[in-house]
Each structure stands twice: as C-alpha cells, then as structure tokens.
Amino acid sequence: MVNSNSVPGIFGCRVFNDDVMRERLPHDVYRSLTRTMATGKEIDASIADCVATVMKDWAIENGATHFTHWFQPLTGVTAEKHDAFISPVESGKVIMEFSGKELIKGEPDASSFPSGGLRATFEARGYTAWDPASYAFVKDGSLYIPTAFCSYTGEALDTKTPLLRSMDAISQQALRILRLFGDTTTTRVTTTVGAEQEYFLVDKKVYDARRDLFYTGRTLFGAPAPKGQELEDHYFGPLKPRVGAFMAELDRELWMLGINAKTKHNEVAPAQHELAPVYVTTNLAVDQNLLIMECMKKVADRHGMACLLHEKPFAGINGSGKHNNWSLSTDTGKNLLSHGKTPAENTLFLLILAAVLKAVDDYQDLLRISVSSAGNDHRLGANEAPPAIVSVFIGEELQAIVDAIIAGKSYEAHKRAVMNLGVPSVPTFTKDTTDRNRTSPFAFTGNKFEFRMVGSSQNIAMPNTVLNTAVAESFRRFADRLEEEKEPDKAAMKLIRETLIAHRRIIFNGNGYSHEWEEEAARRGLSNLRTSVDAFAHFSDVQNIALFEQHGVMSRVEVTSRQEILYENYAKVINIEAHTMVEMARRDYIPAVSAYTAQLSEAVIARKQACAAADVAPEQDLIVRLSALNAEAYRAAGDLEEAIAGAIALPDGAPRAEAFCRKVIPMMCALREKVDAMEPLTASSHWPYPSYGKLTFGIH
C-alpha cells in the first residue's frame, strides 16, 4: 500500500520501472529485458507477449483503460493515439487484452506529420516501435509506451530515433578509447543529461485576454512596465503562495512519474521560475523533459495560471532557456568528465576534454542549428542568454593546464583557497577552483558541460544528438590514431597537445556579451550565425551530412528533410505572429486610440465652450502625438500585410523563410514600435489589452 504522504512512497508509482519489472516479470524475462535496456542490444521478441500481459495488468491496477504509443514527431511536441484494452467476446461482453505485437509496433498515420518531403500526402503508413530503454508509465487513464517513429520506407520521422543512434555511436567510440587505457570491464558508455527548465507563470484571466499569448506564446506588443528586473529582488526570492502551491503539486505529479524534480526557485525576471531535475540517461532525460513541460501547463491551469514556455514571452527582460547539463558515464559508474584532484595528471580526462573541444569547434554550426528556432532568436545574446557565437568556457584551472600543455611545460597546481568570511560562527569552506560564466554557450562546470543555448520550449533530443555524434567523431579519429601506436598512453599526450593547439580558438572564458568578443571571435574565425535562417543553411553542408552518415545517426535524406522542416516551421511561426499583429493592430489598438483621441477632442471642445480661457494644451498635445502615431501604426500594419503577402508568394523552404526573416520581421518591429509608443500615452481604460505590469506582477 502506497503511503500517499510519503515522497519515497509515491515516487515512480505510475512508472513500469525496474522495481515493478523485477517483482512481476518471470526471472528470465526480466533479465532479458533489462539486458536490452542496459546494453542497447536487440530485444528478444519472444518475451514481448509476457511483458505486454504483465504491463497491461499493472496499468489496469493503476487506473488505465487504454494504451498509447507515445512518440516525438518533428513537430517539437509529442503525439499519442489511444486504444482501449477491450476485446469483444462471443457473449457480447469484453475482456482486457494487450498483445506483444501491440506493445512492439503501432501504426499511426505518417502523412499528417512533418516529413520534409520524405512522404507524400497520399503515402500515409508509418510505424511506431517500442523503446524498451525508456520506461512505460500511466497518465490520465492510459498506459504510455515510449516509441520511435519511422516512415513506411524506414526513414526516421522523429527526434528519438537519431538520438538513440547517436547514443550507440558515442558508446562504440568511447569504448575504443577506454580499451586503449586498459579498461576491459566497461561494456557501455552512456551520455547523461539534466535539463534545467525555465518558465513564466501568469494569471490565466490575464493570459486569456491577450490574443498574442494565446496564438503565439509570446507578447507581440507591450510597453515596458515601470518596474522590471532591475532591482534583482525576484531572483531566489520568497515564493508567492499561488506559485508555491503550483510548484508543490507539480513536484508531486513529477515524482509519481519517476522524475527526479530536485530544485525549484524564482528566476531573474518577474514571473519567471525554474525547475531542475537530477541527471539521468539522455534518452530518459528527453522523455522526462517533455513530460515536465506538459505537466507544467496542466498543473498551472488547475491553479488558475498559464505556464509560458516561449523563449522570450516579454521584451526587455530575461528570456527562458533550458540548460542542458551533459556528461559521460560508464556502466560501471564512472563519470568520464570528473577530472579528479589532479586533472593535469589525468590523461584520460584530458583526452576526453580535447575531444569535446574539437567536436564543438569542428561542428559549431551544427550546435547552433540544434538550438535554432524563431523563438530562440529573440533570446540569444542578452539577459543572461549566451550569444549566437559558439565557444567553450573551461575556467581558470583547466585554462592554466591547457596553457601549460600547449607551451610544453609542467603545470604547477595551486592549493585550493579557503573562504573565511570573518565571522567566527560561520564555518570556513573550500573555494571552487573556477568561477561560473553565465554568458558562455558551452561551459565546463566541474564534471559536466552545460549547453546553455537550448531554448525553453525545445525538445532537447536534437541538441544532444548533435553533441553525441560530434564527440563520437572526435573519439573515432583519436582511436584510429592511437590504435596504431605501440604505447598509446604516451602517444595520447602528444595527441592532446596537438588538438589543444588546433582548437584553442574555441575556448573563451570572458564576457560573451561584449562587442570586443564579437570582434575577437571574428578574428579567430568562429562562426556567428545571428539568425536561425542563417544557421539552417549549413545543416546540409558536406561535412555535416558526412558526420551523421559516418556514425549511422541520420542519412542524407533524413538530414535534408529536417532542414526543410526547420525552414517551413520558421516561416509558419513568423507568419502566424505577423498575422496576429495585423489583426490586433487593426481590430483593437488603432480603433482604441482613435476612440480615445475622439474623446479627448470632445473634451477639448466642451471645455472651450464652457470657458474660452481654459488651458487645453495637455489634451491637444496628446491628440497630436497619438494621432500621428496611430496614423503611422496604420501605415505600418499595411506595410506588414504587404511583406507577409510577398513572403507567402515565394516558394516554400529557404526562400520563404529568408523573406520572413529579412523583410517581415523588420515590418513587425516597426509596427510594434508605434503601438508600444502609444500605450503610455493612452488612458488604461481605453487600452484594449492587459499591460506588462499586470502580466508580470499579476500573481500574488
């Protein structure tokens, strides 16, 4: 009996996890299934019926009446089709059945999901295939079975399949490196991820009154509130009661789904918050993060709030990211990015560090592409978000070690400093060997790398697929060379030095926001892909396709199809935003200001009639200023409509996305500038939408 008041008692109670499988499955079936989960080897199909029956019985006990193959199409969100367990019998009644075939394979319609030209509309068949490495779970009366999704012709139509392939690729190449260092016991190397999730909470009634939030997830108009984040009093501040109640219920929901929701706090911007889970295997981390985002929205709604996951819901204050903490671990429990007490003497760690630096430098464009979206373009480069220039922060200690290796000198370690605050009652403690860098896109933080460019609404599968594959390529090249050496240990230091010399340009420990860094990065030859459209063009570069094909992660057609989908999605997002802006301006903002100036005009006439000497200069000034701005807004809306029509008339793909980026967005900015300038001049009783102040400070 689960103790509903005990966190350990409820944790994972909705998950068909290892404890449940060990208890309920026959021993040989359990061993076979867990072997597949641990090694990534092909599952024994003969156990499928047994697993399906046990899984079904457990799910029914936990309130499930249906099952669904839960998958990740190239829409950025998850998909599910629910089927009941019922099966009719001759008596006119039903029994509850679930077969191994139903567990292993599903058949959703593939033509209605993005395929980037891989599937024509009339070619409807697609398949979902059970991913046994990710636990099934019960939610909302259904058994959810994590699955991969492919076309009838076998191409991956999802984000999970390439991710799983990339995890196999990096494991294979990492094992080659470990064998060179005498490790014969490790059988699999896994990447692990802890994805910190930032988000905003706003009052649901205020949210419902904003058409732009409803359609696009961000405010397309809005003058700054008198107070923003400049006092820095919201960061780590006390939780407001409604927010605290939301977070408590969210934690409980996530714990029942086996998600290690660990940290919660207020973020820098007003109304912004963060949740951080404990790291898990990357495949599981991706699934769990998608569940976290879904649960956030549902729980917020139950508390009379709306959860905003857009990267930049409000102009002028912090946007939201998803810091992707990535590491490498062996199946024997060793973290390969833990450098130990003497990193300068840890050759294996230094080799892995060099491999990561090489991967990030060689595939800067792919890492930038992996986080590119119309939403993230608004965030990157300001308010604690890293810039679009990819670089790596390694900190003072590792920088000194790298410098010593490049110079061919011995590194002299410095004794770690002790922090003494000068208050006898406050304990002293050992200072970390390096500071943090909040502006770095890719920062080493002790035993992991933090990929900070990832957007808050994004599925983290693609960033990790790229990272895994790029590092696997570095490992492959290193192993190819070292396996030819008689003394690979000694040869490794020479290789490390050569690699650090070749790729030190990617290391930057300074201020990523500064104009000086932008100039320095250009001198170093680092790419600066300012917009997503700039980045998308490089997805199908020869070296990028070669990388994915070399490791069996994606074929040429799978890469080019995703490139096409990225272009299409970008154009569609901006098209929706632009049309929403035109509608709001024409139907609400412009008429509201017209009505207000008309009222002011009537007031001026009435006061002059009542008293010819009355001073009506304030009203007249407002009439002149607002009338001019309103006329400019009207013309800007027309210009925006023309720009939209021009973009839509272009062929789909790169040409259309380019037009939306270069021509439509500037027109959107021009319209917003005029409307936002009118807001502080217009009486709040006439302004048609809730202000930034009500949105960001509306929860008490």
Side-chain angles (χ1 to χ4, degrees):
M1 188 73 178
V2 172
N3 181 354
S4 60
N5 295 316
S6 163
V7 174
I10 65 168
F11 189 86
C13 65
R14 296 181 184 171
V15 184
F16 193 73
N17 55 27
D18 188 75
D19 287 344
V20 176
M21 291 189 291
R22 185 187 300 110
E23 177 186 346
R24 292 174 176 252
L25 292 173
H27 182 66
D28 58 334
V29 173
Y30 168 76
R31 287 188 61 186
S32 177
L33 180 56
T34 54
R35 188 183 305 115
T36 293
M37 296 173 68
T39 64
K41 303 297 183 184
E42 185 175 353
I43 191 167
D44 180 358
S46 67
I47 70 171
D49 281 330
C50 178
V51 174
T53 298
V54 172
M55 192 182 287
K56 177 259 298 180
D57 291 343
W58 169 83
I60 290 172
E61 290 173 19
N62 283 274
T65 57
H66 291 67
F67 69 91
T68 180
H69 275 200
W70 186 60
F71 58 103
Q72 302 168 25
L74 299 172
T75 56
V77 294
T78 58
E80 54 199 60
K81 179 183 75 171
H82 299 256
D83 288 296
F85 288 123
I86 62 169
S87 180
V89 292
E90 290 184 359
S91 62
K93 296 185 177 181
V94 297
I95 58 174
M96 305 294 268
E97 288 187 334
F98 183 50
S99 68
K101 181 179 178 181
E102 290 172 309
L103 170 62
I104 288 176
K105 188 187 83 169
E107 192 179 321
D109 187 335
S111 64
S112 297
F113 292 107
S115 71
L118 284 175
R119 301 289 284 159
T121 303
F122 67 88
E123 296 173 320
R125 194 182 297 275
Y127 298 112
T128 50
W130 175 35
D131 172 20
S134 189
Y135 295 127
F137 55 93
V138 168
K139 183 173 72 70
D140 301 329
S142 286
L143 170 66
Y144 281 70
I145 303 160
T147 56
F149 177 46
C150 68
S151 71
Y152 180 72
T153 49
E155 292 90 1
L157 293 176
D158 65 344
T159 58
K160 179 184 278 281
T161 302
L163 176 69
L164 293 173
R165 293 169 180 169
S166 76
M167 293 176 69
D168 285 340
I170 197 170
S171 180
Q172 291 168 13
Q173 302 304 326
L175 286 174
R176 294 176 66 193
I177 299 293
L178 293 181
R179 296 294 182 260
L180 290 167
F181 283 80
D183 183 341
T184 59
T185 57
T186 298
T187 59
R188 186 167 178 81
V189 175
T190 57
T191 56
T192 57
V193 166
E196 305 168 31
Q197 179 70 55
E198 294 175 340
Y199 61 99
F200 282 81
L201 291 174
V202 298
D203 188 89
K204 188 66 163 58
K205 292 180 181 178
V206 182
Y207 169 87
D208 288 340
R210 292 283 311 211
R211 196 176 305 153
D212 47 3
L213 281 178
F214 180 80
Y215 284 131
T216 74
R218 75 179 183 100
T219 53
L220 302 173
F221 299 98
K227 178 186 177 184
Q229 63 189 51
E230 62 272 21
L231 294 180
E232 300 172 335
D233 54 344
H234 185 69
Y235 192 45
F236 282 13
L239 300 177
K240 294 178 179 178
R242 287 178 67 188
V243 173
F246 157 81
M247 288 183 172
E249 184 177 346
L250 177 63
D251 279 342
R252 187 177 179 83
E253 287 284 320
L254 297 178
W255 290 337
M256 286 192 286
L257 290 168
I259 298 172
N260 291 288
K262 178 77 171 177
T263 304
K264 57 185 180 183
H265 62 84
N266 290 341
E267 254 298 335
V268 174
Q272 188 184 33
H273 314 279
E274 181 177 296
L275 180 149
V278 177
Y279 69 89
V280 290
T281 303
T282 303
N283 180 35
L284 196 55
V286 171
D287 289 356
Q288 290 187 351
N289 183 254
L290 291 166
L291 281 172
I292 286 170
M293 292 191 288
E294 180 186 332
C295 287
M296 281 178 169
K297 287 182 172 292
K298 289 183 176 180
V299 174
D301 189 65
R302 292 201 290 265
H303 286 258
M305 296 184 287
C307 175
L308 308 181
L309 293 171
H310 194 282
E311 286 74 19
K312 199 73 170 179
F314 306 104
I317 59 176
N318 269 27
S320 292
K322 182 145 43 192
H323 303 159
N324 190 91
N325 294 284
W326 178 92
S327 192
L328 279 167
S329 297
T330 68
D331 57 0
T332 58
K334 182 179 180 180
N335 184 340
L336 297 176
L337 286 176
S338 181
H339 52 55
K341 296 181 179 179
T342 55
E345 300 170 13
N346 189 337
T347 306
L348 176 59
F349 167 76
L350 293 174
L351 187 68
I352 292 172
L353 173 66
V356 174
L357 293 173
K358 174 178 170 57
V360 175
D361 191 14
D362 286 345
Y363 297 100
Q364 303 166 46
D365 54 351
L366 275 181
L367 288 169
R368 174 67 177 91
I369 291 164
S370 76
V371 301
S372 295
S373 69
N376 214 16
D377 278 359
H378 296 289
R379 165 182 167 263
L380 292 177
N383 299 107
E384 288 203 10
I389 303 167
V390 177
S391 64
V392 182
F393 168 85
I394 60 174
E396 297 170 13
E397 183 181 31
L398 285 186
Q399 184 67 65
I401 293 172
V402 167
D403 290 343
I405 292 172
I406 290 174
K409 298 178 181 179
S410 297
Y411 168 72
E412 294 184 9
H414 298 284
K415 187 177 180 181
R416 294 181 68 182
V418 173
M419 295 291 285
N420 187 335
L421 301 183
V423 181
S425 60
V426 176
T428 60
F429 55 90
T430 304
K431 181 181 175 181
D432 289 316
T433 57
T434 187
D435 202 349
R436 288 182 179 176
N437 188 324
R438 305 296 288 178
T439 69
S440 176
F442 200 82
F444 184 73
T445 55
N447 59 3
K448 63 187 185 307
F449 281 96
E450 185 179 20
F451 190 16
R452 296 175 54 83
M453 297 178 78
V454 185
S456 54
S457 67
Q458 187 174 356
N459 183 329
I460 60 173
M462 179 56 78
N464 286 291
T465 298
V466 169
L467 187 53
N468 290 348
T469 312
V471 175
E473 176 62 9
S474 293
F475 286 162
R476 183 187 73 83
R477 290 178 179 269
F478 286 4
D480 284 350
R481 175 168 164 180
L482 294 177
E483 285 170 352
E484 298 297 320
E485 300 285 346
K486 293 181 179 179
E487 296 181 287
D489 281 359
K490 293 181 180 179
M493 282 308 300
K494 181 181 178 183
L495 176 58
I496 290 167
R497 183 169 183 268
E498 290 176 3
T499 304
L500 294 178
I501 291 172
H503 298 284
R504 60 180 161 184
R505 67 172 186 168
I506 201 70
I507 301 172
F508 179 66
N509 298 318
N511 180 8
Y513 293 161
S514 69
H515 181 66
E516 291 77 13
W517 165 235
E518 189 172 331
E519 294 176 343
E520 171 63 21
R523 284 193 295 271
R524 294 187 186 189
L526 300 180
S527 63
N528 185 4
L529 303 171
R530 298 176 185 275
T531 72
S532 291
V533 172
D534 294 331
F536 295 157
H538 294 280
F539 205 169
S540 58
D541 285 355
V542 172
Q543 79 153 5
N544 294 337
I545 291 177
L547 171 72
F548 290 121
E549 289 190 328
Q550 168 71 45
H551 295 278
V553 172
M554 284 190 283
S555 66
R556 176 182 294 273
V557 294
E558 287 172 332
V559 171
T560 55
S561 70
R562 279 157 178 76
Q563 182 182 44
E564 192 68 21
I565 290 167
L566 288 170
Y567 278 128
E568 288 176 2
N569 180 263
Y570 181 93
K572 288 174 180 177
V573 168
I574 303 302
N575 184 45
I576 292 169
E577 290 184 349
H579 273 111
T580 302
M581 289 189 78
V582 170
E583 180 177 299
M584 292 174 72
R586 290 201 183 283
R587 296 181 60 184
D588 300 303
Y589 287 121
I590 292 171
V593 173
S594 293
Y596 181 55
T597 53
Q599 181 177 309
L600 287 174
S601 300
E602 292 172 2
V604 168
I605 294 170
R607 288 176 64 189
K608 279 292 187 181
Q609 289 176 344
C611 177
D615 185 357
V616 292
E619 290 85 350
Q620 289 176 324
D621 180 63
L622 280 174
I623 292 167
V624 170
R625 293 169 66 185
L626 282 171
S627 295
L629 285 169
N630 215 24
E632 291 172 359
Y634 181 83
R635 288 190 290 271
D639 292 342
L640 178 54
E641 280 185 312
E642 288 184 15
I644 296 169
I648 292 175
L650 294 171
D652 202 359
R656 186 176 297 175
E658 283 275 355
F660 273 105
C661 179
R662 316 292 182 206
K663 297 181 179 180
V664 174
I665 288 180
M667 293 298 100
M668 292 169 65
C669 294
L671 175 57
R672 176 170 188 161
E673 181 185 357
K674 304 306 178 186
V675 172
D676 287 359
M678 293 191 291
E679 184 175 353
L681 303 176
T682 306
S684 58
S685 58
H686 281 72
W687 200 248
Y689 290 103
S691 67
Y692 264 28
K694 287 184 178 180
L695 282 163
T696 55
F697 293 97
I699 295 176
H700 304 290

